Amino acid sequence: MFNTQKTEKFLFGFLLFTLFWLPLSLGANRPWAWALMQMSVFFLGGILLLTHKSLLSKLYAQYKLLVIVWLVFLTWQLINIVPLPFSLVEALRPERVNLLNEDALGMENISSQWLPLSFDVGQSDVIFYKSLAYCFLFFITLTLVNTGKRLRYILIVISATGVFQAIYGSLEVLSGLQYSLVFKLPVSHIATGSFVYKNHYANFLLLCLSAAIGYMIASLRVRSGSSPRERLRRIVRFWLSNKVLFRIGIIIMVIALVMSRSRMGNSAFFIAMTITATLGLIYFKPRQKSYVVLFISMLVIDILIVSSLFGLKQVQQRLEQTNLTQESRDEVVTDALPLLSQYGVIGTGGGTFYTVYPQVQSESIQHFYDHAHNEYLQFAIEFGIVGAAIIAMLVLLCSKSALSAIRHRRHPLPRGTAFAPVMAVIGMALHSTVDFPLQAPANTAIFIILLALGALSRDIPMGRRDK
């Protein structure tokens, strides 16, 4: 007989441990790393299903629309993977048949076979299992994060992971090492932490900063006295509490973000923080002076003082010197647009951009591009406009719940929790216009968890211990 409460504690601890080690494995952007991630997530989901007999029915009753969206998205991917009759593939995707026919001895050799629509079934299988793992992770979070205490813990662990990456990435650069301590990768003047690509690193810090700022807001007191003695008590309590550690951690992450020299990573963070802070200023009731003080201090200390000491000027120069004639990423987007008109309904299959892009790649682009440097375009090409719209609906539904929590919840914990996914969504939406941050599984996993926190922030009950 399972002890459900102890099992849940173990599974929640295992989830937090998984979140911490994911970015250490090169952002989990290697087959062995995302395979370990999938095994961990499927293990968590399997144990939950065994110990919670009515879990599926409860999730469907409470999050019906989200369950449907996930199931439709996974089913849509299967359309490109599951073998279909040759005549149907020939009608829907004649280009696929033509490519196969070029390698076949004759049409009769393949006309009797069943074929998948995807241009690269192996890659589409990989993406499908990743999507399935993200789906499990989403609903595992909704199941396990069911108290205010666990809300705090998951925000703390995400923030701590970001601080660790920030310290590691910054020290690598400042120490003058030639090779990284992990996996012996070359170290340059640009901070990348345990990631290979600086923009993936910057995006990861953006997500962790969203969680850290959300936790700071969740820690703000709703009621505060106005007498000098009470103000002195609040100052003393602040310096003796873990808020100081969090505030220092935010500064460290901002330093590392600036040292990544990522133009859109930095721009997305500052824009997302400003927009979300403004939303909070408008909708948080009652309005707290400490909330205003927090963001003024971030603007003054983090941006104007600390960031300037660690290379903000260089980032600004890179932005000013950005010249589209020297960049090939915009040409990749331009070249790939015909793929959208050609395959935009069903899509070419998950993970197939690098397979179909050479069909339209211009001679002026000499580099190999396995990603479109624009998540919107790559999702639309690989999953079709329908598939991209389905996954966009998931983000919108979670954002809607988070915004509702910001507007209507009065307890600081769900409000701070809701702040994190709103800021993360805005930052990810901006960063995805010029890069591919969601192709790093560690980033996607954190983003999925923040979306789940947004979905539950509107209705999660706050018990007496959380008030």
Side-chain angles (χ1 to χ4, degrees):
M1 190 81 181
F2 284 106
N3 186 319
T4 304
Q5 190 174 7
K6 288 184 178 180
T7 303
E8 271 199 12
K9 287 183 179 180
F10 166 75
L11 294 178
F12 183 67
F14 191 81
L15 173 64
L16 298 181
F17 172 72
T18 302
L19 293 182
F20 189 83
W21 71 256
L22 263 181
L24 296 177
S25 54
L26 301 178
N29 201 16
R30 294 294 184 272
W32 60 267
W34 68 62
L36 283 175
M37 177 194 73
Q38 290 167 11
M39 287 190 289
S40 299
V41 172
F42 293 148
F43 167 76
L44 286 168
I47 298 298
L48 276 176
L49 289 173
L50 287 175
T51 55
H52 295 68
K53 301 300 182 182
S54 59
L55 177 61
L56 294 179
S57 59
K58 286 182 179 179
L59 286 173
Y60 184 77
Q62 191 170 359
Y63 303 104
K64 181 178 179 179
L65 199 51
L66 293 172
V67 171
I68 292 173
V69 169
W70 269 112
L71 290 177
V72 171
F73 180 62
L74 293 172
T75 303
W76 184 258
Q77 288 191 56
L78 287 174
I79 292 175
N80 272 303
I81 300 174
V82 175
L84 301 173
F86 177 84
S87 57
L88 182 58
V89 175
E90 188 176 30
L92 294 174
R93 184 67 50 73
E95 300 86 1
R96 170 80 169 133
V97 174
N98 293 336
L99 287 174
L100 290 174
N101 192 41
E102 291 176 2
D103 298 327
L105 295 176
M107 201 66 176
E108 62 277 6
N109 295 332
I110 61 172
S111 59
S112 60
Q113 298 180 15
W114 284 44
L115 306 171
L117 289 170
S118 172
F119 280 89
D120 190 330
V121 182
Q123 284 297 317
S124 296
D125 286 340
V126 170
I127 296 300
F128 174 77
Y129 286 117
K130 281 184 183 178
S131 300
L132 186 61
Y134 297 143
C135 175
F136 268 63
L137 183 61
F138 183 82
F139 290 108
I140 287 168
T141 304
L142 292 179
T143 303
L144 293 178
V145 185
N146 50 21
T147 65
K149 187 176 182 181
R150 290 185 181 178
L151 268 181
R152 289 191 177 93
Y153 278 147
I154 200 163
L155 290 174
I156 289 171
V157 169
I158 293 174
S159 305
T161 304
V163 172
F164 179 85
Q165 284 292 324
I167 294 174
Y168 174 60
S170 303
L171 288 181
E172 271 192 337
V173 174
L174 296 175
S175 63
L177 292 174
Q178 291 185 340
Y179 296 95
S180 65
L181 300 176
V182 181
F183 300 109
K184 298 299 180 181
L185 296 173
V187 176
S188 67
H189 65 286
I190 297 173
T192 58
S194 62
F195 290 75
V196 177
Y197 186 39
K198 66 177 183 179
N199 288 321
H200 284 168
Y201 177 64
N203 185 264
F204 183 81
L205 290 175
L206 184 155
L207 297 174
C208 294
L209 277 163
S210 301
I213 296 172
Y215 180 83
M216 287 292 293
I217 294 171
S219 302
L220 297 177
R221 296 179 64 86
V222 177
R223 295 180 181 178
S224 57
S226 57
S227 65
R229 179 178 295 181
E230 182 61 29
R231 285 197 295 270
L232 179 61
R233 286 177 180 174
R234 289 202 306 273
I235 293 172
V236 173
R237 280 198 298 264
F238 173 80
W239 285 104
L240 294 177
S241 69
N242 61 359
K243 296 179 188 177
V244 175
L245 295 178
F246 257 81
R247 190 67 190 87
I248 295 172
I250 290 173
I251 293 174
I252 293 172
M253 282 191 279
V254 172
I255 291 172
L257 178 60
V258 172
M259 292 180 68
S260 73
R261 304 294 189 264
S262 172
R263 289 166 291 185
M264 184 51 80
N266 281 273
S267 300
F269 164 67
F270 295 129
I271 294 171
M273 184 185 71
T274 303
I275 293 175
T276 315
T278 303
L279 289 174
L281 190 63
I282 295 172
Y283 292 116
F284 280 172
K285 304 295 181 184
R287 189 174 299 164
Q288 301 160 258
K289 291 182 179 179
S290 54
Y291 175 80
V292 179
V293 171
L294 171 64
F295 283 100
I296 291 176
S297 72
M298 290 194 66
L299 289 172
V300 174
I301 298 175
D302 297 34
I303 299 176
L304 298 181
I305 299 177
V306 176
S307 298
S308 299
L309 296 175
F310 287 89
L312 185 62
K313 190 173 182 179
Q314 287 90 328
V315 178
Q316 292 173 334
Q317 289 174 349
R318 288 198 70 209
L319 284 169
E320 293 169 358
Q321 295 170 1
T322 298
N323 189 340
L324 293 180
T325 60
Q326 299 174 352
E327 294 275 351
S328 58
R329 286 186 288 183
D330 61 305
E331 294 179 30
V332 175
V333 173
T334 304
D335 287 348
L337 286 175
L339 295 174
L340 184 60
S341 60
Q342 189 173 1
Y343 306 115
V345 179
I346 302 175
T348 60
T352 59
F353 177 82
Y354 82 101
T355 304
V356 297
Y357 175 64
Q359 299 176 17
V360 294
Q361 183 173 351
S362 61
E363 296 181 358
S364 61
I365 298 179
Q366 302 299 320
H367 300 290
F368 172 74
Y369 281 91
D370 53 353
H371 299 294
H373 285 270
N374 183 305
E375 292 284 26
Y376 302 101
L377 180 61
Q378 183 162 340
F379 269 61
I381 291 173
E382 293 184 349
F383 302 117
I385 295 175
V386 176
I390 294 169
I391 199 64
M393 186 180 298
L394 172 71
V395 177
L396 291 175
L397 288 172
C398 295
S399 301
K400 181 182 177 182
S401 295
L403 287 170
S404 178
I406 287 176
R407 293 185 64 180
H408 302 297
R409 297 298 296 262
R410 289 186 171 264
H411 194 285
L413 181 55
R415 292 197 311 196
T417 302
F419 185 98
V422 172
M423 179 175 166
V425 167
I426 295 172
M428 186 66 76
L430 292 170
H431 203 170
S432 295
T433 58
V434 295
D435 229 303
F436 47 96
L438 289 172
Q439 303 303 321
N443 293 21
T444 308
I446 298 295
F447 186 58
I448 288 292
I449 286 179
L450 289 175
L451 288 179
L453 296 183
L456 60 82
S457 62
R458 182 181 61 184
D459 299 316
I460 187 170
M462 292 290 103
R464 291 183 178 179
R465 292 183 181 181
D466 301 316
K467 289 182 179 179

